[in-house]
Amino acid sequence: MARLCFSVHIQARHIATLAILLGLSWQVTCAVVTNDTTHVAEKTFDYVITGAGLSGLTVGNRLSGKGHSVLIIEAGPDGSWNPAIRNAEDHAFPPEFCNWKYPVYDEDGRQLQWTANAGACIGGSTSINGMVWYRPTKPEIDKLETLGNPGWNFENLFPYIKATERSIPPNEVQASQGAGNDPEFHGRHGFINTSFPTPMRIPKAVGLYKQALQLAFPGLGPSGDMSNRTSFSLATTLYTIWHDPVTGKNRRSSAADGLLWATEQQRPTLTVLAAHKVEKVLFDKKLTATGISFLPTDARSLGRSIKVYARKGVILSAGSLATPPILERSGIGRSDVLKAAGIHKLVDLPGVGANLNDQPDATALALMAEAHHNDTSIIDGLNGLFAPVIALIKAHQLWGSNSNVYLNNLTSSTQLRFRAQALVDAKAAVNIPGAEAILNATIDLIVTHKLPVAEFLSDTATVILLTAFWPLLPLSRGNIHINTSTPFFSHPIITPRFLHDPFDASVAVSLARASRTVFSSSPFLGIVADAYFGTAVGSNGTDEEHLAWYKSQVIGASHWLGSTSMMPRRLGGVVDSKLRVYGTKNLHVVDAGVLPFQVTSHMMSVLYAVAGRAADVIHNS
Ligand SMILES: Cc1cc2nc3c(=O)[nH]c(=O)nc-3n(C[C@H](O)[C@H](O)[C@H](O)COP(=O)(O)OP(=O)(O)OC[C@H]3O[C@@H](n4cnc5c(N)ncnc54)[C@H](O)[C@@H]3O)c2cc1C
Ligand SMILES: *[C@@H]1O[C@H](CO)[C@@H](O)[C@H](O)[C@H]1NC(C)=O
Ligand SMILES: *[C@@H]1O[C@H](CO)[C@@H](O)[C@H](O)[C@H]1NC(C)=O
Ligand SMILES: *[C@@H]1O[C@H](CO)[C@@H](O)[C@H](O)[C@H]1NC(C)=O
Ligand SMILES: *[C@@H]1O[C@H](CO)[C@@H](O)[C@H](O)[C@H]1NC(C)=O
Ligand SMILES: *[C@@H]1O[C@H](CO)[C@@H](O)[C@H](O)[C@H]1NC(C)=O
Ligand SMILES: *[C@@H]1O[C@H](CO)[C@@H](O)[C@H](O)[C@H]1NC(C)=O
Ligand SMILES: *[C@@H]1O[C@H](CO)[C@@H](O)[C@H](O)[C@H]1NC(C)=O
Ligand SMILES: *[C@@H]1O[C@H](CO)[C@@H](O)[C@H](O)[C@H]1NC(C)=O
């Protein structure tokens, strides 16, 4: 029975027939995953959720577990059969399959060279992401509450982080190669496996990087567990993986694996409809959300639109790059955007699509000396499990005694007003008080709480050493809106506005320089053949040249958030502290878009907690 439950998702209809022939009542115990609308069209569920990614699956799992009937509609297919998704290690990062690859634009509407990654199959971005797992710090989570969201603090959210995690402790070999695990910071009984790779990747390169990074960033010391945020952060991270002795592979533990396919998570109250894209939310005259309309993802005309209804609520979980367009198509957003698209305005809510942000990621390469090309302790070709060494770098480690020059600039109230005005002018913030509140939260984390300002991720591939890095707590903001000529069939217009804030640019320049310092340092002597590989900027390059290089390289780190912020409405918020969309009833947003500012952990630890708590808040209200 359990096995049957596990396999129904592959071809729900056929297995259903088989089950009936065998006299099994699988429908009673199993979640249904299907492409077929016959069983859902025009039906009513307690909750209808858009997007079967990290947040949608978390909320859908919890609400259906409490007995509510839940339908999740996912635009992408079931990707669980695909080895690039199942296995953590043997694919290029990120896997092409299951990626929206959204186009991105500069402020003049010109398309940029790169595209934004976002998961496009069941499991959402957790089906294609980098799997890096460590926890955030207390001050940054507490800032959510300070911004006007009672109850959204570390004390309330940390238990949800622990409840997510099934931490598999490192074995002796892993521990001897730097796998740290302080049990106090990890859960043991959650639904997402976290562990270190088997075997640990490129141990010799990791050792050299650790020495070189300490030389490049004075004061940075090696730590054990990345999740012990009281120590210096230069360590090997946990990943959301588990080692499968049967296949010998490190396997991904996605939201779908943990919350949908897992045999112990089966329940008859959950239905997932794949391969259908949500168009908009349906309302009654009092602006109570009553359902949604959607189409087959490959539809070419709105004529094929299908409706389903929600008794208790509609929950938007399509991610920070897809939920704002759904709101706008529904008539909720900035007036001029709705007007240009000819959409009847239901709620004037200018925060929709503003405040979009991600960390601006650049990658520096160094060519390795030929003598080391075959040394698998330096190059193993397995960079699906990327960044076996991560450093979180604080302002004084990046700039030494100069750091006050940069920090004083941040704390000046004139500068704060300046920055806020620039965001309002660029339509990246709704108003000055809102922009100031968000910027000030991040500035306080950097200046008062001394959180790291940069992340530095190191790896090797084929014949190169490579490091990716980004300003960790950026102050730049962009926006995202529908393409007003074809709001459903065209991708949204995403304008990241990376590095517009001078602080972000200063961090970027220093990181670009530091990456070359790392490759040129004594530990890599004889191993690196060209520390400036692939760049015309040499050791005497100016700040302007380094910044130009950075901008020519930059892509999103794939930690998009902020486009439907949880904040008071007067500050440009889109949802209140119960995740309810302002001006409506029974409509919620639960996804990365509700976080107004970046955090210093990667997203998953925070988002599983936010979505878990959101489900409880929704259930209890
Ligand atoms: C390449 C990449 C690498 C990353 N690396 C890491 C990492 O190493 N560590 C980490 O912690 N985080 C990482 N992240 C970030 C993390 O995975 C995301 O922040 C997180 O999954 C976001 O959760 P979400 O619920 O907001 O959206 P998602 O998980 O992206 O889910 C959104 C879902 O909605 C669906 N959808 C979109 N539009 C519609 C529509 N109109 N109708 C129906 N469904 C729709 C999408 O197909 C998707 O399945 C990475 C992300 C990416 C893309
Ligand atoms: C569901 O649709 C996807 C395409 O979106 C397709 O790859 C898959 O085979 C379909 N599954 C079934 C059971 O029809
Ligand atoms: C966290 O790291 C600090 C500094 O290295 C150490 O003193 C402390 O014991 C660690 N905490 C735990 C719970 O291991
Ligand atoms: C977690 O790991 C165990 C093996 O330790 C495995 O049986 C299980 O399927 C994994 N679960 C997920 C969600 O990855
Ligand atoms: C590395 O391996 C390749 C292929 O086996 C071989 O041709 C080459 O000579 C080796 N290089 C060194 C430096 O050993
Ligand atoms: C201080 O901020 C202003 C504008 O915000 C910027 O022009 C200037 O370059 C900054 N100085 C430093 C040292 O960051
Ligand atoms: C900025 O944050 C600090 C610390 O929370 C607070 O004391 C100060 O009043 C805030 N300033 C603004 C302009 O919001
Ligand atoms: C918006 O959509 C139209 C119609 O598909 C397309 O021609 C146009 O290029 C899109 N706009 C942008 C900025 O991509
Ligand atoms: C920078 O250094 C290179 C040699 O590394 C030299 O050729 C070049 O002229 C120098 N450029 C400047 C602007 O000094």
Short mmCIF file of all heavy atoms in Angstrom, two decimals, residues 6 166 168 190-194 240-245 251-259 261-262 264, ligand 4:
data_model
loop_
_atom_site.label_atom_id
_atom_site.label_comp_id
_atom_site.label_asym_id
_atom_site.label_seq_id
_atom_site.Cartn_x
_atom_site.Cartn_y
_atom_site.Cartn_z
N PHE A 6 3.27 5.78 -2.94
CA PHE A 6 4.47 6.48 -3.40
C PHE A 6 4.46 6.65 -4.91
O PHE A 6 4.93 7.63 -5.43
CB PHE A 6 5.72 5.70 -2.96
CG PHE A 6 6.98 6.39 -3.35
CD1 PHE A 6 7.38 7.55 -2.69
CD2 PHE A 6 7.75 5.91 -4.39
CE1 PHE A 6 8.54 8.21 -3.05
CE2 PHE A 6 8.92 6.56 -4.75
CZ PHE A 6 9.31 7.70 -4.08
N ARG A 166 15.73 17.28 9.13
CA ARG A 166 16.15 15.97 9.63
C ARG A 166 17.65 15.91 9.39
O ARG A 166 18.12 15.51 8.33
CB ARG A 166 15.44 14.84 8.90
CG ARG A 166 15.87 13.46 9.34
CD ARG A 166 15.02 12.37 8.67
NE ARG A 166 15.51 11.04 8.99
CZ ARG A 166 16.43 10.39 8.26
NH1 ARG A 166 16.92 10.93 7.17
NH2 ARG A 166 16.83 9.20 8.63
N ILE A 168 21.31 14.79 9.42
CA ILE A 168 22.05 13.52 9.49
C ILE A 168 23.48 13.88 9.88
O ILE A 168 24.19 14.54 9.10
CB ILE A 168 22.01 12.79 8.13
CG1 ILE A 168 20.56 12.55 7.70
CG2 ILE A 168 22.82 11.50 8.17
CD1 ILE A 168 20.39 12.14 6.24
N GLY A 190 12.69 16.30 11.27
CA GLY A 190 11.91 17.02 10.27
C GLY A 190 11.72 16.22 8.98
O GLY A 190 11.99 15.03 8.92
N PHE A 191 11.27 16.91 7.96
CA PHE A 191 10.91 16.26 6.70
C PHE A 191 11.92 16.52 5.58
O PHE A 191 11.82 15.93 4.52
CB PHE A 191 9.50 16.68 6.26
CG PHE A 191 9.28 18.18 6.34
CD1 PHE A 191 9.55 18.98 5.25
CD2 PHE A 191 8.82 18.78 7.53
CE1 PHE A 191 9.37 20.36 5.33
CE2 PHE A 191 8.63 20.15 7.60
CZ PHE A 191 8.91 20.94 6.50
N ILE A 192 12.88 17.44 5.83
CA ILE A 192 13.91 17.71 4.83
C ILE A 192 15.25 17.23 5.38
O ILE A 192 15.69 17.67 6.44
CB ILE A 192 13.99 19.23 4.53
CG1 ILE A 192 12.69 19.73 3.89
CG2 ILE A 192 15.20 19.54 3.63
CD1 ILE A 192 12.36 19.17 2.52
N ASN A 193 15.89 16.30 4.66
CA ASN A 193 17.19 15.82 5.10
C ASN A 193 18.25 16.90 4.90
O ASN A 193 18.28 17.57 3.86
CB ASN A 193 17.62 14.61 4.27
CG ASN A 193 16.81 13.37 4.57
OD1 ASN A 193 16.53 13.08 5.73
ND2 ASN A 193 16.44 12.64 3.53
N THR A 194 19.12 17.06 5.88
CA THR A 194 20.31 17.88 5.67
C THR A 194 21.52 17.03 6.05
O THR A 194 21.51 16.34 7.06
CB THR A 194 20.30 19.17 6.51
OG1 THR A 194 20.34 18.83 7.90
CG2 THR A 194 19.07 20.03 6.22
N THR A 240 20.78 20.28 1.57
CA THR A 240 19.53 19.52 1.73
C THR A 240 19.62 18.26 0.85
O THR A 240 18.99 18.16 -0.21
CB THR A 240 18.31 20.37 1.33
OG1 THR A 240 18.56 20.98 0.05
CG2 THR A 240 18.05 21.46 2.34
N ILE A 241 20.44 17.33 1.34
CA ILE A 241 20.70 16.08 0.61
C ILE A 241 20.76 14.91 1.57
O ILE A 241 20.86 15.09 2.79
CB ILE A 241 22.05 16.13 -0.15
CG1 ILE A 241 23.21 16.38 0.83
CG2 ILE A 241 22.02 17.19 -1.24
CD1 ILE A 241 24.60 16.20 0.21
N TRP A 242 20.73 13.72 1.02
CA TRP A 242 21.00 12.49 1.79
C TRP A 242 21.72 11.52 0.88
O TRP A 242 21.56 11.57 -0.35
CB TRP A 242 19.71 11.89 2.34
CG TRP A 242 18.68 11.52 1.29
CD1 TRP A 242 17.89 12.37 0.59
CD2 TRP A 242 18.35 10.21 0.83
NE1 TRP A 242 17.09 11.68 -0.28
CE2 TRP A 242 17.34 10.34 -0.16
CE3 TRP A 242 18.80 8.92 1.16
CZ2 TRP A 242 16.77 9.25 -0.81
CZ3 TRP A 242 18.23 7.82 0.50
CH2 TRP A 242 17.22 8.00 -0.47
N HIS A 243 22.57 10.69 1.47
CA HIS A 243 23.33 9.76 0.66
C HIS A 243 22.56 8.45 0.54
O HIS A 243 22.18 7.85 1.54
CB HIS A 243 24.72 9.50 1.27
CG HIS A 243 25.57 8.64 0.39
ND1 HIS A 243 25.87 7.33 0.68
CD2 HIS A 243 26.15 8.91 -0.79
CE1 HIS A 243 26.62 6.83 -0.29
NE2 HIS A 243 26.80 7.77 -1.20
N ASP A 244 22.33 8.06 -0.71
CA ASP A 244 21.55 6.85 -0.99
C ASP A 244 22.50 5.69 -1.24
O ASP A 244 23.17 5.64 -2.28
CB ASP A 244 20.68 7.12 -2.22
CG ASP A 244 19.82 5.93 -2.61
OD1 ASP A 244 19.93 4.88 -1.93
OD2 ASP A 244 19.06 6.06 -3.58
N PRO A 245 22.59 4.76 -0.29
CA PRO A 245 23.55 3.66 -0.47
C PRO A 245 23.20 2.76 -1.65
O PRO A 245 24.07 2.09 -2.20
CB PRO A 245 23.46 2.89 0.86
CG PRO A 245 22.16 3.29 1.47
CD PRO A 245 21.81 4.65 0.95
N ARG A 251 21.49 12.43 -2.91
CA ARG A 251 20.17 12.72 -3.47
C ARG A 251 19.61 14.01 -2.91
O ARG A 251 19.75 14.31 -1.72
CB ARG A 251 19.20 11.57 -3.15
CG ARG A 251 19.61 10.21 -3.72
CD ARG A 251 18.95 9.95 -5.06
NE ARG A 251 17.52 10.08 -4.97
CZ ARG A 251 16.67 9.05 -4.79
NH1 ARG A 251 17.13 7.83 -4.67
NH2 ARG A 251 15.37 9.26 -4.74
N ARG A 252 18.94 14.77 -3.77
CA ARG A 252 18.28 16.02 -3.36
C ARG A 252 17.09 15.72 -2.45
O ARG A 252 16.37 14.75 -2.64
CB ARG A 252 17.79 16.75 -4.62
CG ARG A 252 17.07 18.05 -4.36
CD ARG A 252 16.50 18.62 -5.66
NE ARG A 252 17.52 18.98 -6.61
CZ ARG A 252 18.14 20.15 -6.63
NH1 ARG A 252 17.82 21.08 -5.76
NH2 ARG A 252 19.08 20.40 -7.52
N SER A 253 16.89 16.59 -1.46
CA SER A 253 15.72 16.49 -0.60
C SER A 253 14.91 17.77 -0.82
O SER A 253 15.14 18.79 -0.18
CB SER A 253 16.18 16.36 0.86
OG SER A 253 15.15 15.96 1.70
N SER A 254 14.02 17.74 -1.80
CA SER A 254 13.27 18.94 -2.17
C SER A 254 11.99 19.04 -1.35
O SER A 254 11.62 18.09 -0.64
CB SER A 254 12.90 18.88 -3.65
OG SER A 254 11.88 17.90 -3.86
N ALA A 255 11.31 20.16 -1.49
CA ALA A 255 10.00 20.30 -0.82
C ALA A 255 9.05 19.21 -1.28
O ALA A 255 8.25 18.70 -0.51
CB ALA A 255 9.42 21.68 -1.11
N ALA A 256 9.16 18.82 -2.55
CA ALA A 256 8.28 17.76 -3.08
C ALA A 256 8.63 16.42 -2.44
O ALA A 256 7.74 15.66 -2.03
CB ALA A 256 8.40 17.69 -4.59
N ASP A 257 9.94 16.12 -2.32
CA ASP A 257 10.35 14.87 -1.68
C ASP A 257 9.85 14.81 -0.24
O ASP A 257 9.35 13.79 0.21
CB ASP A 257 11.88 14.74 -1.68
CG ASP A 257 12.45 14.65 -3.09
OD1 ASP A 257 11.87 13.94 -3.92
OD2 ASP A 257 13.47 15.32 -3.35
N GLY A 258 10.01 15.91 0.47
CA GLY A 258 9.71 15.92 1.90
C GLY A 258 8.23 16.04 2.23
O GLY A 258 7.79 15.55 3.27
N LEU A 259 7.47 16.71 1.37
CA LEU A 259 6.10 17.07 1.75
C LEU A 259 5.03 16.50 0.84
O LEU A 259 3.84 16.57 1.15
CB LEU A 259 5.96 18.60 1.75
CG LEU A 259 6.82 19.31 2.80
CD1 LEU A 259 6.92 20.80 2.50
CD2 LEU A 259 6.24 19.08 4.19
N TRP A 261 5.84 13.57 -1.92
CA TRP A 261 6.04 12.16 -2.29
C TRP A 261 6.22 11.26 -1.07
O TRP A 261 5.95 10.07 -1.14
CB TRP A 261 7.27 12.00 -3.19
CG TRP A 261 7.35 12.87 -4.41
CD1 TRP A 261 8.45 13.55 -4.83
CD2 TRP A 261 6.32 13.16 -5.38
NE1 TRP A 261 8.17 14.24 -5.99
CE2 TRP A 261 6.86 14.02 -6.35
CE3 TRP A 261 4.98 12.78 -5.51
CZ2 TRP A 261 6.14 14.50 -7.44
CZ3 TRP A 261 4.26 13.26 -6.59
CH2 TRP A 261 4.83 14.10 -7.54
N ALA A 262 6.71 11.79 0.03
CA ALA A 262 7.05 10.95 1.20
C ALA A 262 5.84 10.13 1.64
O ALA A 262 4.73 10.65 1.78
CB ALA A 262 7.54 11.83 2.34
N GLU A 264 4.97 8.93 4.44
CA GLU A 264 4.35 9.31 5.70
C GLU A 264 3.57 10.63 5.59
O GLU A 264 2.95 11.06 6.56
CB GLU A 264 5.37 9.35 6.84
CG GLU A 264 6.49 10.38 6.70
CD GLU A 264 7.66 9.95 5.83
OE1 GLU A 264 7.53 8.98 5.04
OE2 GLU A 264 8.73 10.60 5.92
C1 LIG B 4 15.75 11.27 3.85
O1 LIG B 4 16.77 10.32 3.99
C2 LIG B 4 16.30 8.99 4.20
C3 LIG B 4 17.51 8.12 4.41
O2 LIG B 4 18.25 8.59 5.52
C4 LIG B 4 15.48 8.54 3.01
O3 LIG B 4 14.95 7.26 3.24
C5 LIG B 4 14.33 9.52 2.78
O4 LIG B 4 13.64 9.18 1.60
C6 LIG B 4 14.86 10.94 2.65
N1 LIG B 4 13.75 11.86 2.59
C7 LIG B 4 13.75 12.95 1.83
C8 LIG B 4 12.54 13.81 1.91
O5 LIG B 4 14.69 13.26 1.14
#
